[in-house]
Amino acid sequence: MQKIRKAIFPVAGLGTRFLPATKASPKEMMAVVDKPLVQYAVEEAIAAGVEEIYFVTSNAKRAIEDHFDKNYELEAKLEEKGKKRILSQVRNLVPSHVSIAYVRQHEALGLGHAVLCAKQLIGDEPFAILLADDLIDGGDQPCLKQMVDVYKQTGAGILAVQQVERSQTDQYGIVDVDSTHQIQKIVEKPKPEQAPSNLGVVGRYILPSKIFELLEKTQSGSGGEIQLTDAIAELIKTDPVIAHPFTGVRYDCGSKLGFLKANLEYGIKHPEFGDEWLAYLKARLCG
Ligand code: G1P
């Protein structure tokens, strides 16, 4: 069985749900406490064994490239001031065995199209996809690591899923599964009355490279975009794809409320000032 070594990070989306904050800054660069969303997702991928990271980006997302690049001026200043701890954090965002490359999506034609832009970089091996605006706190078992473990047992495609509110099925890819969690049906953003279940796909996927030939044939679907979900609907006709109800908490950081919740919770867990933050919250709520 081939190892999951490569991951695609589609980051070319416009972030319209988070305007005006995302007018000039990528939504993936918004910080939860002190790290941008994209860094949490990159760390999750690395913890799952990923060694090659491919961002599918656009002209408005240069800050992401800068974040993972070396910043000589900043490093020199931190060195001069003796700020060793923060210097080491800035320097070692990714370990040396991990490589990062970028490919441009020239038109915003949808998630499926974004994934297709990385076809040549993935080649003929199974790979992961991570949507950084879904921040998932899996504790000591990060979500993608859990999925890689299921992949190792089954060799199947794996999608992370969770129960969503019936009224919100039109915000997700919705799956119908059999008793072994194998996906029997998948629909992009169905209306509540048409949804096959309330099991929604969140932004973590492990897929075989066959998905690329299916994406090439995929016509525009929901929202007039080329949808990854529609290519997966074709894939399940021939290949097993399993829905993994992951352990952990997912924050929809593409939404303002989800982002606030993430900041509150990650603030409480922060090693430096978590206790002080919690004390503040308690005083604020009781006072
Ligand atoms: C995308 C996918 C959708 C999935 C969701 C998870 O939608 O198209 O199937 O459920 O991510 O966050 P988006 O949120 O980009 O509209």
Side-chain angles (χ1 to χ4, degrees):
M1 187 184 298
Q2 286 170 291
K3 197 173 170 265
I4 305 299
R5 299 185 309 120
K6 301 185 178 186
I8 300 177
F9 284 69
V11 293
L14 296 174
T16 42
R17 283 193 296 155
F18 222 121
L19 284 166
T22 47
K23 187 178 171 206
S25 321
K27 63 175 171 175
E28 297 81 6
M29 285 303 294
M30 298 213 308
V32 170
V33 187
D34 53 4
K35 276 196 290 193
L37 283 168
V38 69
Q39 195 179 325
Y40 288 97
V42 162
E43 287 172 6
E44 182 183 328
I46 295 170
V50 166
E51 294 165 354
E52 293 179 31
I53 288 172
Y54 297 107
F55 284 102
V56 181
T57 179
S58 72
N59 59 352
K61 303 283 179 144
R62 293 196 184 98
I64 297 175
E65 294 172 46
D66 290 344
H67 182 70
F68 290 102
D69 201 355
K70 202 167 172 64
N71 184 334
Y72 288 99
E73 202 182 335
L74 176 66
E75 289 186 19
K77 282 267 172 344
L78 292 172
E79 192 137 38
E80 200 180 294
K81 292 189 168 159
K83 302 203 169 198
K84 290 204 178 111
R85 203 171 56 82
I86 191 71
L87 175 64
S88 126
Q89 282 178 12
V90 165
R91 252 188 200 149
N92 304 311
L93 286 186
V94 294
S96 56
H97 71 279
V98 175
S99 66
I100 299 186
Y102 301 85
V103 59
R104 282 275 175 102
Q105 183 185 19
H106 299 290
E107 283 176 280
L109 296 179
L111 178 60
H113 178 260
V115 170
L116 191 52
C117 290
K119 177 185 171 193
Q120 309 301 335
L121 300 165
I122 300 296
D124 188 19
E125 58 184 283
F127 63 99
I129 302 169
L130 293 96
L131 308 183
D133 53 1
D134 275 331
L135 174 62
I136 304 180
D137 182 2
D140 55 6
Q141 283 294 310
C143 182
L144 191 67
K145 170 80 171 58
Q146 298 173 32
M147 294 165 68
V148 166
D149 289 344
V150 181
Y151 164 77
K152 281 181 184 161
Q153 288 158 23
T154 59
I158 317 286
L159 312 189
V161 297
Q162 68 172 184
Q163 304 273 353
V164 300
E165 295 288 335
R166 226 337 129 164
S167 60
Q168 294 187 347
T169 56
D170 57 0
Q171 296 174 25
Y172 297 90
I174 300 291
V175 298
D176 193 17
V177 296
D178 67 12
S179 57
T180 62
H181 292 286
Q182 189 166 326
I183 298 174
Q184 304 297 311
K185 196 170 181 194
I186 180 164
V187 194
E188 179 69 2
K189 304 195 171 113
K191 292 196 180 99
E193 59 276 17
Q194 281 152 9
S197 77
N198 67 338
L199 214 47
V201 176
V202 306
R204 303 291 183 273
Y205 307 76
I206 291 175
L207 290 169
S209 59
K210 185 175 178 182
I211 199 71
F212 293 117
E213 62 196 64
L214 298 172
L215 279 169
E216 275 165 343
K217 292 186 209 137
T218 302
Q219 305 291 315
S220 49
S222 168
E225 297 185 335
I226 296 172
Q227 296 294 350
L228 179 60
T229 299
D230 293 343
I232 297 172
E234 284 303 308
L235 181 69
I236 60 173
K237 292 179 181 169
T238 53
D239 293 51
V241 181
I242 289 172
H244 175 62
F246 60 94
T247 308
V249 185
R250 170 239 180 194
Y251 301 94
D252 174 12
C253 289
S255 84
K256 295 175 186 179
L257 195 58
F259 182 73
L260 280 175
K261 289 178 188 170
N263 268 291
L264 185 138
E265 296 293 348
Y266 278 68
I268 292 172
K269 287 200 318 177
H270 197 279
E272 253 171 73
F273 47 76
D275 292 347
E276 215 176 310
W277 174 230
L278 186 60
Y280 169 81
L281 289 174
K282 281 185 182 156
R284 179 72 181 75
L285 291 174
C286 305

